Amino acid sequence: MVQANTIPSPFARLTATAPGASLVVAQLGQTLDGRIATITGDSKWINGQAALTHLHAIRAAVDAVVVGVGTVIADDPFLTVRHVPCPACQPARVVIDPTSRVPLDAKIFNSDGARRIIISATDAATPDGIERLVVPTIAGRMAPLAILAALQAAGLTRVLIEGGAATVSSFIDAGALDQLHLLVAPLLLGSGKPGLQLADITRIDQAIRPHTTLHPFADGDVLFVCDFTQDTR
Ligand SMILES: NC(=O)c1ccc[n+]([C@@H]2O[C@H](COP(=O)([O-])OP(=O)(O)OC[C@H]3O[C@@H](n4cnc5c(N)ncnc54)[C@H](OP(=O)(O)O)[C@@H]3O)[C@@H](O)[C@H]2O)c1
């Protein structure tokens, strides 16, 4: 762990990655006890305004924002950049939807000039302007690296995996992330929907130990920037 007063900006890696170069960043907002919602699914709001602004600044720095279909169905997010001043920085909005469950009237498909993309297992017609990328599945799952390759082929190389927990976890398990921005709010739920759920390990020395910097926000949340390209094991 690097102390807060010696650390680089949490955006150092993002701003150093030029268009066309590859960078895969994920984010997850959670409580101190690693929860992202109560047992009823209530999640508004775990994190504070500073974390939201940070998320929008990441969106503004990437080519594509990717979510699992579970997030679109649960939250119907816009996935646009609104809380930082960068009106020209609207990344492509991408949903991973292997079995075509996503409602086509979801807000991510609003026609506002940004690219809108469905990643699915089979080809099918899409409404005007919405792109479809086909990634094969094995036992219903797409390999995260195959998803990233499809995005890269579509010209989208700087990618934010925005959620939910299942999607971010699968990208970590696949070794497909460069960075995780983990936004921890100082509250305890004690029950509810867990955040990261990775493949089982049996020994502590098998744990992932990314190089991690911490960045306290004024409103009490703490950002942990975990760099998987520098495992400290
Ligand atoms: N705290 C945060 O920062 C944050 C951020 C975003 C969302 N959320 C919350 O997270 C919850 C939703 O998350 P979730 O974990 O339930 O769902 P999710 O990660 O949003 O979506 C999971 C679904 O996406 C599809 N998918 C994702 N990766 C895939 C892959 N590699 N291969 C095939 N399919 C893939 C699958 O769809 P199928 O089921 O159709 O196979 C999978 O079940 C909501 O409650 C939302 O509020 C929290």
Side-chain angles (χ1 to χ4, degrees):
M1 183 84 69
V2 176
Q3 294 306 307
N5 60 357
T6 64
I7 54 176
S9 155
F11 294 105
R13 191 81 185 269
L14 281 156
T15 52
T17 304
S22 170
L23 183 69
V24 186
V25 176
Q27 78 85 42
L28 201 64
Q30 65 171 45
T31 63
L32 282 175
D33 53 339
R35 310 282 177 170
I36 64 166
T38 68
I39 50 168
T40 63
D42 188 27
S43 61
K44 293 188 172 56
W45 299 97
I46 287 176
N47 295 101
Q49 182 62 40
L52 185 61
T53 302
H54 181 79
L55 170 60
H56 281 235
I58 302 175
R59 286 181 185 169
V62 296
D63 303 318
V65 177
V66 178
V67 292
V69 64
T71 293
V72 177
I73 290 171
D75 296 347
D76 195 15
F78 285 99
L79 302 186
T80 53
V81 177
R82 303 184 305 283
H83 293 280
V84 294
C86 195
C89 312
Q90 292 299 343
R93 302 188 289 268
V94 181
V95 57
I96 306 172
D97 182 28
T99 57
S100 300
R101 305 199 278 134
V102 70
L104 292 175
D105 61 354
K107 294 190 180 95
I108 62 166
F109 298 129
N110 288 350
S111 178
D112 58 3
R115 289 176 74 179
R116 297 153 292 154
I117 299 173
I118 302 172
I119 297 182
S120 57
T122 52
D123 208 356
T126 52
D128 259 2
I130 299 177
E131 302 168 59
R132 188 181 294 276
L133 300 177
V134 176
V135 173
T137 54
I138 299 171
R141 315 308 302 160
M142 297 166 182
L145 290 172
I147 293 171
L148 294 172
L151 291 172
Q152 185 148 13
L156 304 167
T157 59
R158 297 172 301 183
V159 175
L160 168 63
I161 309 297
E162 184 163 319
T167 301
V168 173
S169 299
S170 72
F171 275 72
I172 295 175
D173 270 335
L177 285 190
D178 295 307
Q179 272 191 346
L180 170 66
H181 288 224
L182 193 63
L183 296 143
V184 180
L187 69 150
L188 295 167
L189 293 187
S191 62
K193 189 171 167 47
L196 297 178
Q197 289 195 287
L198 304 180
D200 289 344
I201 58 170
T202 55
R203 298 191 321 271
I204 298 297
D205 66 6
Q206 295 172 303
I208 303 168
R209 291 181 190 271
H211 179 271
T212 298
T213 57
L214 63 91
H215 310 260
F217 291 155
D219 58 8
D221 287 1
V222 178
L223 165 66
F224 292 81
V225 177
C226 306
D227 185 341
F228 294 99
T229 64
Q230 296 182 61
D231 194 308
T232 59
R233 276 176 294 187

